[in-house]
């Protein structure tokens, strides 16, 4: 199927997945930017808000688990459309609950739907992105994840503008929902039909017992568990910032809701820059040194943000925090797949992804409950400790094949023919 695609079709396919990643980022950042407004309108304390956020986390876990059977039934095209429609419906419900009806349970239902749709589309867009990457014959996944960050920048910026103009949360999120639905319906037309069916057929060949045994066996690999520590710390740092940074600025540093949204936008811009520019740095210096410096920078940034005596130091800390944790997740995924037996790569990547997503999804509600007891800034000390542990575990991500970095121009197994077939380096 993919070897019959022309260069323009391959480019359109790649660009469509870029759009899906960006739309997912827009949805998450739009909610995060309006957290203080929803909190104020509902009169919630930190613990109650943490419980609401847990609804989104629970929905995300269900989405991650349900994605494979949905893909098997609908394919990646139909699955991604359905998932983002669910996300959009959830955003509308969150807006109604937080801006018009003023109902915390309704907001919780909406957040569960947002989490469900985003959890499912996260799996699907990564699977489809990997298929596009293989067909094109060039490493594209880091840039695809950067497009998620581009989406968070756009969502955060729109959220800051909506907050500054005092736009009702319901209207703001309804507009965002319409953009997401329109965007995915336009983009999905460029995704080839049948690619996901071929992938699904290939994936179903090994017997269930054999796949289960291979998946469980990787959990006994100490190096892989150390990579999991890296994923745990960095994903916790990123996920917690997504949900608590704005509120920490407002409550911890006594700033306005609009300032909180602006600082979150600064965080997303810094995160995006770190991911876009990180590839050449990794090629030049290698995974371990870069990850160690990243962890040091992230820890310094978090400490500055927590203890800053003046506001501008908190802004500097926000930038260091974002750049410091920007490469942890992609480097961890690359290191997990870097194995002598390609048949184990999928199981290894799945294992560290589970660790990363658990930290990303469960960490924010835990910080909310802790913040209710000790204050949100003090609760962020947990992130500082985990980032330091990620830096200590950095040697686990060392390259196995002697390359200087995690993303060289050298093609992986089986990609040389794909590059030739595509007719160009895209």
């Amino acid at each position: 199927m993919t070897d019959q695609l022309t260069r323009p079709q391959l480019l359109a396919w790649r660009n469509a997945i870029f759009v899906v990643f960006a739309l997912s980022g827009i949805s998450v950042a739009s909610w995060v930017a309006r957290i203080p407004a929803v909190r104020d309108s509902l009169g919630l304390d930190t613990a109650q808000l943490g419980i609401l956020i847990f609804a989104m986390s629970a929905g995300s876990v269900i989405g991650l688990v349900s994605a494979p059977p949905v893909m098997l039934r609908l394919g990646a095209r139909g699955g991604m459309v359905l998932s983002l429609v669910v996300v959009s419906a959830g955003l509308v419900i969150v807006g109604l609950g937080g801006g018009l009806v003023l109902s915390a349970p309704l907001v919780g239902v909406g957040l569960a739907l947002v989490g469900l749709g985003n959890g499912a589309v996260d799996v699907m867009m990564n699977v489809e992105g990997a298929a596009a990457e293989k067909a094109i014959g060039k490493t594209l996944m880091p840039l695809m994840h950067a497009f998620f960050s581009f989406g968070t920048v756009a969502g955060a910026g729109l959220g800051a503008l909506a907050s500054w103009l005092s736009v009702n949360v319901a209207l703001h999120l309804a507009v965002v929902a319409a953009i997401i639905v329109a965007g995915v319906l336009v983009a999905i037309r460029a995704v080839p039909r049948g690619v996901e069916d071929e992938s699904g057929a290939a994936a179903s060949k090994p017997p269930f017992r054999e796949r289960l045994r291979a998946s469980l066996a990787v959990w006994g690999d100490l190096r892989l568990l150390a990579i999991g520590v890296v994923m745990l710390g960095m994903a916790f740092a990123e996920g917690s910032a997504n949900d608590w940074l704005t509120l920490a600025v407002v409550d911890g540093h006594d700033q306005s809701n609009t300032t909180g949204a602006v600082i979150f936008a600064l965080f997303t811009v810094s995160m995006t820059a770190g991911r876009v520019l990180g590839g050449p740095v990794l090629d030049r210096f290698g995974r371990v040194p870069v990850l160690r410096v990243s962890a040091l920078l992230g820890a310094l940034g978090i400490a500055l943000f927590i203890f800053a005596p003046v506001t501008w130091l908190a802004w500097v800390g926000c930038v260091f925090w974002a750049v410091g944790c920007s490469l942890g997740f992609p480097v961890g995924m690359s290191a997990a797949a870097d194995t002598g037996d390609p048949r184990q790569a999928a199981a290894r990547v799945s294992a560290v992804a589970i660790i990363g997503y658990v930290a990303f999804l469960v960490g924010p509600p835990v910080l909310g409950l802790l913040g209710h007891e000790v204050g949100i800034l003090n609760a962020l000390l947990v992130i500082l400790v985990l980032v330091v542990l990620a830096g200590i575990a950095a040697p686990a991500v060392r390259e196995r094949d002697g390359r200087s970095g995690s993303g060289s121009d050298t093609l992986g197994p089986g990609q040389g023919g794909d590059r030739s077939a595509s007719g160009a380096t895209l």
Side-chain angles (χ1 to χ4, degrees):
M1 173 67 184
T2 58
D3 57 357
Q4 299 174 359
L5 297 178
T6 64
R7 182 174 182 270
Q9 288 174 322
L10 289 170
L11 281 170
W13 182 14
R14 177 203 65 183
N15 294 341
I17 305 305
F18 284 164
V19 171
V20 174
F21 269 87
L23 291 175
S24 180
I26 288 173
S27 71
V28 173
S30 296
W31 149 246
V32 171
R34 301 312 299 269
I35 285 177
V38 172
R39 186 277 309 269
D40 292 345
S41 66
L42 297 179
L44 303 176
D45 62 26
T46 306
Q48 291 169 328
L49 184 58
I51 292 173
L52 275 186
I53 293 174
F54 183 77
M56 185 173 176
S57 299
S60 298
V61 172
I62 295 173
L64 290 169
V65 174
S66 64
V70 171
M71 282 190 67
L72 185 62
R73 183 64 179 269
L74 301 179
R77 284 170 55 104
M80 287 189 290
V81 171
L82 176 61
S83 298
L84 287 179
V85 167
V86 170
V87 169
S88 300
L91 287 175
V92 171
I93 293 173
V94 169
L96 290 174
L100 291 179
V101 180
L102 302 185
S103 167
L106 190 60
V107 172
V109 170
L111 288 177
L113 290 176
V114 172
L116 176 67
N118 267 320
V121 81
D122 191 276
V123 174
M124 298 175 192
M125 66 189 184
N126 275 285
V127 170
E128 193 67 14
E133 184 179 62
K134 181 178 180 181
I136 291 171
K138 182 180 179 182
T139 301
L140 297 172
M141 194 63 72
L143 189 56
M144 289 179 179
H145 282 271
F147 267 84
F148 177 89
S149 296
F150 293 150
T152 64
V153 171
L158 185 60
L161 179 63
S163 176
W164 182 63
L165 295 175
S166 299
V167 175
N168 187 279
V169 173
L171 176 59
H172 168 214
L173 295 185
V175 170
V176 172
I179 292 172
I180 291 172
V181 171
V184 72
L185 290 178
V186 171
I188 207 66
R189 294 180 297 176
V191 177
R193 295 182 181 276
V195 173
E196 64 277 353
D197 298 328
E198 295 171 9
S199 299
S204 63
K205 287 182 179 179
F208 173 76
R209 288 177 180 268
E210 180 180 332
R211 284 182 284 132
L212 178 62
R213 197 161 44 242
S215 297
L216 294 178
V218 299
W219 290 95
D221 186 334
L222 294 180
R223 175 176 177 265
L224 190 67
L225 294 179
I227 295 173
V229 172
V230 173
M231 299 283 282
L232 175 68
M234 295 304 193
F236 199 104
E238 180 182 351
S240 298
N242 285 343
D243 281 322
W244 291 113
L245 183 62
T246 53
L247 206 61
V249 170
V250 173
D251 290 356
H253 292 289
D254 297 321
Q255 301 297 307
S256 68
N257 288 355
T258 300
T259 301
V262 170
I263 291 185
F264 176 68
L266 176 65
F267 181 91
T268 59
V269 169
S270 303
M271 172 74 71
T272 303
R275 284 178 171 163
V276 171
L277 301 176
V281 176
L282 286 163
D283 289 343
R284 175 67 179 84
F285 297 104
R287 293 178 191 156
V288 176
V290 170
L291 194 59
R292 281 175 170 162
V293 173
S294 295
L296 179 61
L297 187 64
L300 175 61
I302 295 167
L304 278 176
F305 182 84
I306 295 172
F307 300 111
V310 291
T311 303
W312 70 267
L313 270 179
W315 287 60
V316 173
C318 172
V319 173
F320 286 0
W321 179 351
V323 174
C325 67
S326 63
L327 296 178
F329 201 92
V331 168
M333 296 288 273
S334 295
D338 191 6
T339 174
D341 185 357
R343 294 173 299 179
Q344 294 182 357
R348 291 170 60 85
V349 170
S350 175
V352 297
I354 289 173
I355 295 173
Y357 280 119
V358 166
F360 194 88
L361 299 172
V362 176
V366 170
L367 283 185
L369 296 174
L370 184 60
H372 180 67
E373 299 297 328
V374 300
I376 188 59
L377 288 181
N378 290 329
L380 298 182
L381 288 170
V382 174
I383 307 175
L384 178 61
V385 172
L386 290 176
V387 169
V388 170
L389 289 176
I392 294 173
V397 305
R398 192 180 309 278
E399 297 84 354
R400 284 180 175 269
D401 57 6
R403 291 176 295 161
S404 62
S406 64
S408 69
D409 292 332
T410 304
L411 294 176
Q415 287 186 314
D418 290 316
R419 180 187 292 271
S420 176
S422 69
T425 300
L426 305 183

